[in-house]
């Protein structure tokens, strides 16, 4: 009973805030998702990432292990999903990106924070950085037919992660007034991302939900298996191990839909994957939490 209550305490804020966004739009209220997303990804999320890393107390060995585990996990997921797309004769531009990348930002960071506090958030940010760099390079290249490592480095959240990692590595800090300002700015990131997730799901026009559901189940199983195996392989301790599993297995990211819409892939099919996998996550994320908590 205590385990069930603990899991509910962790997942309830996540899905309730997303539900608020969903209901907000469905009841006819305005929500300028482009503005809110830009505000979050340009200011509040980088501030959250930087301050979390500056305050983090992560052992350098644990940091190295987690980084290598995350890189290996995304590499393995990429290979398996590429072979799956080719075997099932799916369109690579449409399906490969959403099958690789989960909603590590909007859903993964809040989940890690609610489950494991500041320590979990710090580890989650490391995995988020690995995903962001891979997504802004390889992910964009697959969907759009072009991308560059330099473009990834220009993203504020990537820059904040790299700068914060340097501060973490050197043990540096910043003046109190600057830290308080950045922390205050970062505090809006998690609720904003969750509400925006609900808004985005409410506005999607999905198609092919049957196929999307089967692919979502496959993605969840493969990602969970890879994260468990590699977490054990790299000898991660309990918290980074749990965070790795949660981050790698998050449902399809809304950004995959935005990329498909922008670059002319089949956006409706990607929307189906976002909706199906997000709804599926309501069932499997509590189970995963029960496994890792």
């Amino acid at each position: 009973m205590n385990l069930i209550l603990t899991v509910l305490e962790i997942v309830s804020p996540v899905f309730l805030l997303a539900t608020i966004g969903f209901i907000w739009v469905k009841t006819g209220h305005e929500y300028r998702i482009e503005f809110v997303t830009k505000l979050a990804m340009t200011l509040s999320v980088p501030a959250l990432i930087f301050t979390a890393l500056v305050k983090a107390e992560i052992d350098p060995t644990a940091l190295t292990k987690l980084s290598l585990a995350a890189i290996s996990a995304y590499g393995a997921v990429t290979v398996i999903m590429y072979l799956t797309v080719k075997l099932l004769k799916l369109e690579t531009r449409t399906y490969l990106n959403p099958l690789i990348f989960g909603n590590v930002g909007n859903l993964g960071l809040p989940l890690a924070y609610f489950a494991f506090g500041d320590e979990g958030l710090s580890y989650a940010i490391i995995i988020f950085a690995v995903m962001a760099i891979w997504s802004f390079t390889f992910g964009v290249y697959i969907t759009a037919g072009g991308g560059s490592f330099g473009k990834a480095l220009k993203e504020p959240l990537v820059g904040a992660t790299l700068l914060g990692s340097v501060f973490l590595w050197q043990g540096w800090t910043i003046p109190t007034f600057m830290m308080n300002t950045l922390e205050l700015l970062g505090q809006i990131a998690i609720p904003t991302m969750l509400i925006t997730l609900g808004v985005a799901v409410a506005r999607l026009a999905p198609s092919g939900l049957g196929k999307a559901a089967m692919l979502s189940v496959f993605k969840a199983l493969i990602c969970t298996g890879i994260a468990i195996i590699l977490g054990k392989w790299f000898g991660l301790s309990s918290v980074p191990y749990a965070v790795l599993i949660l981050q790698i297995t998050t449902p399809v990211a809304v950004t995959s839909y935005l990329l498909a819409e922008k670059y002319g892939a089949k956006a409706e099919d990607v929307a189906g994957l976002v909706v199906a996998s997000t709804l599926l996550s309501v069932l499997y994320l509590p189970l995963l939490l029960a496994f890792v908590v």
Side-chain angles (χ1 to χ4, degrees):
M1 180 60 71
N2 287 336
L3 177 60
I4 294 174
L5 290 176
T6 299
V7 170
L8 288 176
E9 287 174 355
I10 294 169
V11 300
S12 293
V14 172
F15 291 114
L16 285 174
L17 282 171
T19 302
I20 288 173
F22 186 91
I23 295 174
W24 181 268
V25 168
K26 290 299 184 181
T27 52
H29 292 86
E30 182 184 13
Y31 194 96
R32 298 186 179 182
I33 193 169
E34 183 178 354
F35 165 75
V36 175
T37 300
K38 189 171 184 178
L39 175 69
M41 300 307 286
T42 305
L43 294 177
S44 63
V45 175
L48 174 70
I49 290 172
F50 179 76
T51 55
L53 288 174
V54 171
K55 295 189 304 178
E57 296 181 0
I58 302 177
D59 178 72
T61 302
L63 181 62
T64 301
K65 285 183 177 180
L66 180 61
S67 299
L68 292 174
I71 292 169
S72 301
Y74 278 110
V77 170
T78 298
V79 171
I80 291 175
M81 293 308 177
Y82 178 80
L83 294 174
T84 300
V85 166
K86 292 301 181 184
L87 183 64
L88 297 178
K89 298 180 179 179
L90 301 172
E91 185 180 63
T92 304
R93 290 181 63 234
T94 298
Y95 286 93
L96 184 55
N97 197 51
L99 288 177
I100 295 173
F101 301 108
N103 207 339
V104 178
N106 292 68
L107 191 55
L109 294 182
L111 200 59
Y113 176 72
F114 289 130
F116 304 105
D118 290 334
E119 182 185 5
L121 179 62
S122 299
Y123 287 124
I125 284 169
I126 302 302
I127 302 170
F128 180 48
V130 173
M131 184 281 301
I133 293 172
W134 191 228
S135 174
F136 285 121
T137 53
F138 179 77
V140 172
Y141 177 80
I142 287 298
T143 305
S148 69
F149 186 75
K151 182 177 181 181
L153 292 178
K154 292 178 182 178
E155 292 293 328
L157 59 90
V158 176
T161 303
L162 295 176
L163 184 61
S165 298
V166 172
F167 272 69
L168 173 63
W169 174 46
Q170 294 292 332
W172 295 342
T173 187
I174 58 176
T176 301
F177 78 93
M178 291 180 63
M179 179 64 79
N180 289 342
T181 302
L182 291 174
E183 284 186 326
L184 192 61
L185 181 60
Q187 285 172 10
I188 70 173
I190 286 178
T192 298
M193 288 189 295
L194 288 172
I195 292 172
T196 303
L197 172 62
V199 171
V201 171
R203 288 179 175 173
L204 292 176
S207 66
L209 286 177
K211 180 170 67 175
M214 290 188 289
L215 288 172
S216 297
V217 172
F218 176 76
K219 172 179 168 60
L221 292 173
I222 292 297
C223 290
T224 301
I226 288 174
I228 289 174
I229 292 170
L230 290 175
K232 294 290 187 182
W233 177 270
F234 284 94
L236 299 180
S237 57
S238 58
V239 175
Y241 175 64
V243 171
L244 178 70
I245 294 173
L246 291 176
Q247 290 286 71
I248 299 297
T249 56
T250 49
V252 177
V254 177
T255 51
S256 295
Y257 169 78
L258 298 177
L259 282 176
E261 184 74 32
K262 181 176 181 179
Y263 294 112
K266 296 178 181 176
E268 296 82 5
D269 290 351
V270 179
L273 285 169
V274 174
V275 172
S277 63
T278 301
L279 292 176
L280 180 67
S281 72
V282 177
L283 301 176
Y284 75 74
L285 284 178
L287 295 176
L288 280 179
L289 277 169
F291 172 71
V292 301
V293 169

